[in-house]
C-alpha cells in the first residue's frame, strides 16, 4: 500500500477521508460493508468476547479472521482512511494544543493540522474506537483521522510534545522559585513543593518521555549545581538535560511520593514502585533512591511489559540455535541456565522460555528478586531478604507446593544451588541464571560453589551465555571506514565491507536503534559429562562444546556484522568481555 508523505499542512488538503467508527458496533458494520468479515464472523466474534474490555478486533485476530501485523493498513484501506508518513512534517505548535497532552500521550495520537474546521489527527490503529471517540469528544472541531506508523507518531510526540512541554514546565518552575530561597525544606514544605502542578507535570512528562524513547532506565544524578537527567537507551546513557538545584529536591520528592517512599527520610536508601498507562498498556517503574554527598540519586527502571515479554523466535538467535534450544527444553526435568553480566537480557530470555513452557496443565512457580513482569497463569514469588525470606527459604516451601517447573531468579549461593539440584533430581524442570562470562565457565562455577560433578552431570541439560549488541539504525546506515582497524583484529579480508550508523534524529544521534541478543548455547552431551567428571578447566570444556556444535559468542557477533545488523565496534566489545 502506498503511503503519502506529509511535509506541510498544505499536503493535508490533498487527502480524502473515509468513515472512522467511534464504537465497535459501527466498526463491525463497516467491516462487513467493506468485505473484511461476514455477518456470521461478526456474530461469532461477539459471542467469543469473554469480557467487555476485550476488543472486537482482538477477538477477530484470535479467530484468524484478521492478521495482527497488517491490521492498521488493511482496515485503513477498507475504511477509506489515508495512510501517511509524518516524520518529515513541519509541525505547527498551535495545532498541538488542539488536543490535551494527556490524551496525546495516553492514546499515542498526534494532531497534524487544521483544514477548514476539520482537525486532522494521526492514529496508529483505526480499530482503537475508544481513541477515536475520545478525540471527537475533547475537540471542538470535526476530527478526521489518518493512519501513520506507530514509530512516526512516537517520534513526533517526543520531538514536538514532550520536549516542548518539559521546557515550558521548567521555565514556569524557574519563574516561580526564588533563587535565594533556602532549600533545607521541612517535610511539610517538601510535600507542598512536590504537589505543585508544574512539578507533577514535569515528573509525569519525564516518565512518558522515557517510555516513548524506549529507555530501560532513568538516572537522576545530583551535582553541586543541581542535577543531570540521563536515559539509558539500548544500553547506553544519554544525557537529556540538566536541572537547577532549586528544582531537583521537589522533583525527587515527587518521585518518592508517587513511589510510596518516605519523603522525610533523606539519609538512608529507599526502594519503591509506581506505574502509568501508556497507549493502553500498563508500564511499571521500579524506583531506587540512594543518598550521595551532593544529594539524592534516583534510578528508575522502566518495565514495559509489551517490550519485555517476547517469544523464543524473537530473541534474535539464528534459527538453528533456536532449534537446539527447543531440543534442550524438551526435557521434563533438569536445569537450564542462562548466564551473562548484569544487563545482558537474561531475564528477558528466561521469560521467553517460560512463555514457551507455559502450557495448560503445567504448574510453574517462580522465585524472583524482584518480580519484573507479571505473567498470566504462572505463580510468582517476590523474595524479601530483609525478613529472612531468601531464595533458599522460598524454594524449600515451593517444593511442597506441587510445581512441575521452577524459575529461580539467580543461583547466588551454594544453598540455593543445592535445593535447585534436589528439585531437578526429583523430577522438576528448573530455570535459573548465573553471573559468568561464558557458557563453559558456568559448569566450573557450580563446581567452585561446592556442587559435586556427578550432580551437575545428572541435572544440568544446557547453558546459554548471552550479550546484547546494538543494532545499526536503518535510517542513517553507511559504510564503516573502520578507523580503528578492527578488520585486522578480526582477521577479515581487506575488501570486507562493514556498516555503521552515522547518527540521526531517529536514533538520537547514536547510530544505533534497538538491540540484538548474541548467545552461545552449550548442550551437556555424554562426552561433555565425562570431562565434567574429571573436573577439567573451562577451556577444555569450551573446546569440547564447540566440537559438539556450540557456536562461540565472538563468532556469532561477527556473523551479525557480516549480515549488516551491528558494527565491528559492538562485536569487539563482546569479544573483550
Amino acid at each position: 500500500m502506498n503511503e503519502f508523505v506529509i511535509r506541510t499542512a498544505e499536503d493535508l488538503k490533498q487527502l480524502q477521508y473515509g468513515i472512522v467508527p467511534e464504537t465497535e458496533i459501527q466498526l463491525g458494520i463497516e467491516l462487513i460493508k467493506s468485505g473484511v468479515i461476514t455477518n456470521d464472523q461478526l456474530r461469532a466474534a461477539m459471542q467469543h468476547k469473554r469480557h467487555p474490555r476485550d476488543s472486537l478486533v482482538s477477538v477477530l485476530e484470535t479467530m484468524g479472521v484478521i492478521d495482527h501485523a497488517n491490521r492498521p493498513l488493511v482496515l485503513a484501506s477498507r475504511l477509506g482512511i489515508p495512510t501517511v508518513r509524518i516524520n518529515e512534517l513541519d509541525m505547527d505548535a498551535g495545532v498541538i494544543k488542539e488536543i490535551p497532552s494527556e490524551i496525546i500521550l495516553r492514546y499515542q495520537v498526534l494532531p497534524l493540522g487544521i483544514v477548514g474546521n476539520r482537525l486532522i489527527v494521526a492514529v496508529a490503529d483505526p480499530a482503537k474506537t475508544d481513541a477515536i471517540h475520545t478525540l471527537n469528544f475533547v475537540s471542538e472541531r470535526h476530527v478526521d483521522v489518518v493512519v501513520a506508523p506507530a514509530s512516526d507518531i512516537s517520534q513526533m510526540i517526543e520531538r514536538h510534545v514532550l520536549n516542548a512541554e518539559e521546557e515550558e514546565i521548567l521555565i514556569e518552575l524557574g519563574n516561580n522559585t526564588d533563587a535565594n530561597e533556602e532549600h533545607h525544606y521541612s517535610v511539610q514544605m517538601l510535600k507542598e513543593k512536590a504537589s505543585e502542578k508544574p512539578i507533577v507535570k514535569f515528573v509525569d512528562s519525564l516518565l512518558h518521555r522515557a517510555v516513548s524513547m524506549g529507555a530501560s532506565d532513568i538516572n537522576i544524578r545530583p551535582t553541586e549545581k543541581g542535577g543531570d537527567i540521563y536515559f539509558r537507551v539500548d544500553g547506553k546513557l544519554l544525557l537529556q538535560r540538566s536541572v537547577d538545584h532549586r528544582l531537583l529536591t521537589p522533583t525527587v520528592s515527587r518521585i518518592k511520593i508517587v513511589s510510596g517512599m518516605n519523603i522525610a527520610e533523606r539519609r538512608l536508601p529507599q526502594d519503591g514502585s509506581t506505574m502509568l498507562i501508556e497507549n493502553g498498556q500498563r508500564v511499571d517503574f521500579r524506583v531506587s533512591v540512594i543518598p550521595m554527598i551532593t544529594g539524592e540519586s534516583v534510578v528508575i527502571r522502566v518495565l514495559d511489559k509489551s517490550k519485555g515479554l517476547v517469544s523464543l523466535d524473537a530473541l534474535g538467535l539464528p534459527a538453528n540455535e533456536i532449534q537446539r534450544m527447543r531440543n534442550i527444553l524438551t526435557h521434563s526435568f533438569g536445569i537450564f541456565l542462562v548466564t551473562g553480566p548484569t544487563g545482558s537480557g537474561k531475564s528477558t530470555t528466561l521469560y521467553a522460555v517460560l512463555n514457551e513452557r507455559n502450557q495448560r496443565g503445567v504448574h510453574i512457580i517462580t522465585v524472583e528478586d524482584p518480580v519484573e513482569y507479571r505473567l498470566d497463569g504462572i505463580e510468582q514469588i517476590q523474595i524479601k531478604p530483609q525478613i529472612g525470606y531468601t531464595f533458599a527459604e522460598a524454594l524449600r516451601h515451593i517444593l511442597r507446593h506441587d510445581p512441575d517447573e521452577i524459575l529461580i531468579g539467580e543461583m547466588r549461593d551454594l544453598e540455593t544451588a543445592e535445593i535447585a539440584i534436589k528439585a531437578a533430581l526429583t523430577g522438576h524442570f528448573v530455570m535459573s541464571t548465573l553471573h559468568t562470562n561464558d557458557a563453559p565457565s558456568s559448569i566450573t562455577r557450580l563446581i567452585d560453589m561446592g556442587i559435586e560433578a556427578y550432580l551437575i552431570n545428572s541435572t544440568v541439560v544446557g547453558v546459554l551465555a548471552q550479550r546484547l549488541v546494538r543494532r545499526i539504525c536503518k535510517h542513517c546506515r553507511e559504510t564503516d571506514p573502520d578507523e580503528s582497524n578492527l578488520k585486522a583484529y578480526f582477521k577479515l579480508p581487506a575488501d570486507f565491507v562493514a556498516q555503521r550508523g552515522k547518527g540521526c534524529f531517529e536514533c538520537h544521534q547514536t547510530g544505533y536503534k534497538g538491540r540484538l541478543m548474541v548467545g552461545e548455547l552449550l548442550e551437556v552431551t555424554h562426552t561433555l559429562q565425562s570431562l565434567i567428571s574429571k573436573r577439567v578447566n573451562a577451556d577444555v570444556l569450551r573446546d569440547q562444546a564447540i566440537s559438539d556444535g556450540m557456536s562461540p559468542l565472538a563468532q556469532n557477533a561477527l556473523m551479525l556484522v557480516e549480515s549488516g545488523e551491528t558494527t565491528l565496534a559492538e562485536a569487539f566489545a563482546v569479544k573483550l568481555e
Side-chain angles (χ1 to χ4, degrees):
M1 180 180 296
N2 294 327
E3 295 176 314
F4 186 75
V5 178
I6 304 294
R7 294 186 175 87
T8 68
E10 287 297 313
D11 293 334
L12 296 170
K13 297 178 180 179
Q14 302 179 38
L15 301 175
Q16 300 293 322
Y17 304 96
I19 298 173
V20 185
E22 287 191 44
T23 67
E24 291 208 319
I25 295 298
Q26 292 174 358
L27 177 61
I29 293 171
E30 292 302 325
L31 292 178
I32 291 173
K33 287 181 180 178
S34 60
V36 176
I37 63 175
T38 65
N39 279 301
D40 291 340
Q41 288 171 333
L42 177 59
R43 278 194 293 269
M46 297 304 292
Q47 292 172 357
H48 277 80
K49 288 184 66 170
R50 299 176 181 176
H51 193 279
R53 286 179 294 184
D54 293 340
S55 73
L56 169 64
V57 173
S58 66
V59 175
L60 288 169
E61 287 171 355
T62 303
M63 294 168 56
V65 177
I66 296 178
D67 177 27
H68 175 74
N70 298 316
R71 179 177 88 189
L73 294 180
V74 169
L75 294 184
S77 173
R78 297 304 178 93
L79 296 174
I81 304 171
T83 56
V84 300
R85 293 302 305 266
I86 60 173
N87 54 333
E88 298 180 29
L89 174 61
D90 184 16
M91 287 291 302
D92 180 351
V95 173
I96 294 289
K97 300 183 185 299
E98 291 284 332
I99 300 293
S101 59
E102 294 84 358
I103 301 300
I104 291 175
L105 295 172
R106 181 185 305 168
Y107 294 106
Q108 289 292 287
V109 298
L110 187 70
L112 304 180
I114 298 171
V115 178
N117 192 41
R118 295 178 299 141
L119 177 65
I120 314 302
V121 181
V123 301
D125 190 347
K128 297 294 181 67
T129 55
D130 55 339
I132 307 298
H133 176 76
T134 302
L135 288 173
N136 281 311
F137 180 77
V138 301
S139 176
E140 296 181 357
R141 303 175 187 272
H142 174 78
V143 174
D144 281 330
V145 304
V146 295
V147 172
S151 58
D152 279 14
I153 295 175
S154 177
Q155 290 158 11
M156 294 294 280
I157 288 175
E158 177 191 333
R159 187 191 310 177
H160 296 288
V161 180
L162 294 176
N163 280 346
E165 189 172 76
E166 286 182 11
E167 292 294 344
E168 290 178 5
I169 292 168
L170 289 173
I171 291 171
E172 184 178 350
L173 283 170
N175 291 338
N176 293 339
T177 307
D178 183 359
N180 299 316
E181 183 179 346
E182 179 63 38
H183 290 283
H184 298 291
Y185 298 116
S186 67
V187 175
Q188 185 58 36
M189 289 177 64
L190 281 174
K191 288 182 179 179
E192 291 174 358
K193 286 283 184 182
S195 299
E196 290 180 358
K197 187 175 180 179
I199 289 291
V200 173
K201 288 184 66 177
F202 179 64
V203 172
D204 288 349
S205 178
L206 196 66
L207 298 179
H208 280 291
R209 178 175 167 82
V211 176
S212 174
M213 287 181 61
S216 61
D217 299 89
I218 304 169
N219 286 22
I220 303 177
R221 300 181 182 179
T223 64
E224 294 292 343
K225 297 181 178 180
D228 294 329
I229 299 176
Y230 296 83
F231 288 171
R232 187 178 294 278
V233 180
D234 296 333
K236 300 297 180 181
L237 286 173
L238 304 178
L239 177 64
Q240 297 301 299
R241 65 173 70 255
S242 297
V243 294
D244 187 272
H245 68 91
R246 294 168 291 171
L247 312 181
L248 184 62
T249 299
T251 297
V252 173
S253 296
R254 178 64 189 172
I255 292 171
K256 291 167 75 173
I257 288 173
V258 299
S259 303
M261 300 182 193
N262 180 6
I263 65 169
E265 179 56 75
R266 303 182 66 185
R267 300 168 299 171
L268 296 174
Q270 295 189 72
D271 294 321
S273 62
T274 186
M275 57 80 69
L276 61 78
I277 302 297
E278 179 81 3
N279 198 22
Q281 178 71 52
R282 172 175 171 144
V283 180
D284 293 306
F285 300 90
R286 193 171 70 239
V287 185
S288 171
V289 177
I290 297 179
M292 303 290 177
I293 59 172
T294 51
E296 291 181 290
S297 175
V298 181
V299 173
I300 305 173
R301 172 62 59 88
V302 182
L303 302 172
D304 188 346
K305 185 175 180 178
S306 65
K307 295 182 174 61
L309 299 179
V310 299
S311 65
L312 281 182
D313 296 305
L315 288 176
L317 285 172
N320 63 314
E321 293 290 272
I322 291 291
Q323 187 55 52
R324 289 184 64 228
M325 186 186 296
R326 284 200 165 100
N327 292 339
I328 292 172
L329 295 177
T330 57
H331 288 79
S332 58
F333 66 91
I335 296 176
F336 178 72
L337 297 172
V338 180
T339 183
T342 299
S344 59
K346 298 188 297 295
S347 295
T348 299
T349 298
L350 281 180
Y351 281 125
V353 172
L354 281 179
N355 280 338
E356 185 88 358
R357 301 185 68 87
N358 187 19
Q359 302 170 7
R360 182 172 295 181
V362 177
H363 185 195
I364 301 177
I365 301 179
T366 75
V367 185
E368 304 172 66
D369 183 26
V371 175
E372 294 193 354
Y373 299 99
R374 298 181 182 181
L375 304 175
D376 294 334
I378 294 176
E379 295 188 300
Q380 296 172 273
I381 296 173
Q382 167 72 61
I383 69 166
K384 298 176 181 178
Q386 63 271 23
I387 61 172
Y389 194 36
T390 62
F391 278 114
E393 185 66 24
L395 285 170
R396 288 192 193 94
H397 290 280
I398 68 174
L399 286 177
R400 297 191 291 270
H401 210 67
D402 191 34
D404 296 302
E405 303 183 5
I406 302 168
L407 182 145
I408 307 170
E410 182 184 347
M411 286 191 186
R412 296 179 178 175
D413 50 45
L414 175 60
E415 186 178 16
T416 303
E418 286 178 334
I419 298 174
I421 293 284
K422 177 183 176 181
L425 288 172
T426 53
H428 302 85
F429 189 83
V430 180
M431 298 153 275
S432 189
T433 69
L434 276 177
H435 284 283
T436 60
N437 287 330
D438 56 25
S441 296
S442 298
I443 303 298
T444 56
R445 169 70 177 137
L446 290 174
I447 293 174
D448 291 342
M449 288 171 65
I451 302 298
E452 294 293 337
Y454 76 91
L455 291 175
I456 296 174
N457 283 338
S458 301
T459 55
V460 179
V461 295
V463 182
L464 173 68
Q466 66 179 67
R467 300 289 189 278
L468 293 176
V469 295
R470 291 180 291 172
R471 188 194 298 266
I472 297 172
C473 174
K474 64 181 180 181
H475 299 282
C476 59
R477 180 189 301 272
E478 65 176 14
T479 301
D480 187 353
D482 188 26
E483 296 167 356
S484 56
N485 206 25
L486 289 176
K487 282 196 289 190
Y489 175 83
F490 284 110
K491 297 182 174 59
L492 296 170
D495 60 350
F496 178 83
V497 179
Q499 301 290 313
R500 71 172 185 181
K502 183 179 181 180
C504 64
F505 172 79
E506 300 274 351
C507 61
H508 312 292
Q509 305 302 323
T510 64
Y512 299 95
K513 192 168 181 64
R515 289 192 287 181
L516 294 163
M517 192 253 272
V518 180
E520 60 179 19
L521 183 61
L522 178 150
E523 184 174 2
V524 181
T525 61
H526 293 299
T527 310
L528 207 56
Q529 286 177 336
S530 65
L531 293 178
I532 294 172
S533 299
K534 297 175 183 178
R535 293 174 174 264
V536 301
N537 63 38
D539 290 336
V540 177
L541 294 176
R542 166 171 287 278
D543 291 340
Q544 183 57 51
I546 292 173
S547 298
D548 291 340
M550 183 183 82
S551 181
L553 274 169
Q555 179 180 323
N556 287 336
L558 201 56
M559 287 174 59
L560 291 177
V561 175
E562 292 172 349
S563 64
E565 295 284 352
T566 193
T567 62
L568 285 167
E570 288 291 289
F572 181 67
V574 168
K575 190 171 180 65
L576 283 182
E577 294 175 348

